[in-house]
Amino acid sequence: MYLNTYLVPERKLIRKKLCLNDTLCSPLKWVANRTLLVLKAANSNIQPPSKPRFPKRPIIRSHDNDQVKLAPTFQDLIKDDYDENLFKYYTTSKLVAVSVADNDAALMCKDVNGIEPGIYVNYEASPNGLYLKLDKLRAPFSRIVPYRYFGRRTTVHKLLVNKMRNRYSYEFELVREIAKVDAAEDIFHAHDTCRKGRRFCWWSEGH
């Protein structure tokens, strides 16, 4: 979907050695005129965690809960602390603003102020370009459901753009927390079931 739209910017980003992270969502999205928000791999400059020879602690699972629910068997789940560290290593991203100068076609990369690195599953600018919606996974990470059922936090931030001598700086100010839900481990996985709390939110035209 983004091949034709972002083909030229993506090539320039690669030449500037900016490591993009497309593990969980698209790493390139327009937020304003001449500006892209990019998901940069936060741990690209360090080695991935090594697997320990012996586990640091035993894996204990309790099945004495009276609230028994039917659930499918998922594959490729997080099994231990090493898997969790590996998941965080490859999915943690940092938001970077990439803009084109007014007088040339040079790409300038700036770290976005006001937003910490995290595991982002979606980010989307409002139609008027003044706000940004962020969907971010939150710990603890479940051992019995895949990442799409992990705890999630949805926030809205206001975009502040400062311009000095054809150079831009970007800052996001937190406006509101829309949702904060825990991992959906206690739902019956059927066609018409859903998790507790707010699940989806999106921009409407004109806002």
Side-chain angles (χ1 to χ4, degrees), residues 107-126:
L107 290 176
M108 295 175 295
C109 303
K110 293 286 187 180
D111 292 341
V112 174
N113 298 321
I115 297 180
E116 297 294 329
I119 303 176
Y120 298 104
V121 292
N122 188 34
Y123 64 108
E124 184 180 5
S126 61

Side-chain angles (χ1 to χ4, degrees), residues 130-205:
L130 299 179
Y131 297 91
L132 179 72
K133 180 180 73 71
L134 289 174
D135 294 301
K136 178 181 177 181
L137 296 184
R138 53 187 294 264
F141 302 125
S142 174
R143 301 290 201 271
I144 61 176
V145 293
Y147 79 90
R148 63 181 179 271
Y149 295 109
F150 286 178
R152 184 175 300 194
R153 183 172 183 250
T154 301
T155 54
V156 173
H157 302 256
K158 185 176 181 180
L159 172 61
L160 305 175
V161 181
N162 300 316
K163 180 180 178 182
M164 294 181 61
R165 297 181 180 179
N166 296 330
R167 295 295 184 267
Y168 296 86
S169 64
Y170 301 88
E171 184 174 352
F172 285 94
E173 183 181 68
L174 178 63
V175 176
R176 183 179 178 183
E177 182 180 83
I178 302 298
K180 189 176 183 180
V181 296
D182 297 327
E185 296 181 342
D186 58 346
I187 64 174
F188 174 71
H189 294 269
H191 178 68
D192 57 348
T193 58
C194 58
R195 68 193 303 169
K196 297 178 182 178
R198 295 178 177 176
R199 300 178 297 278
F200 303 106
C201 60
W202 54 88
W203 297 109
S204 60
E205 290 297 331

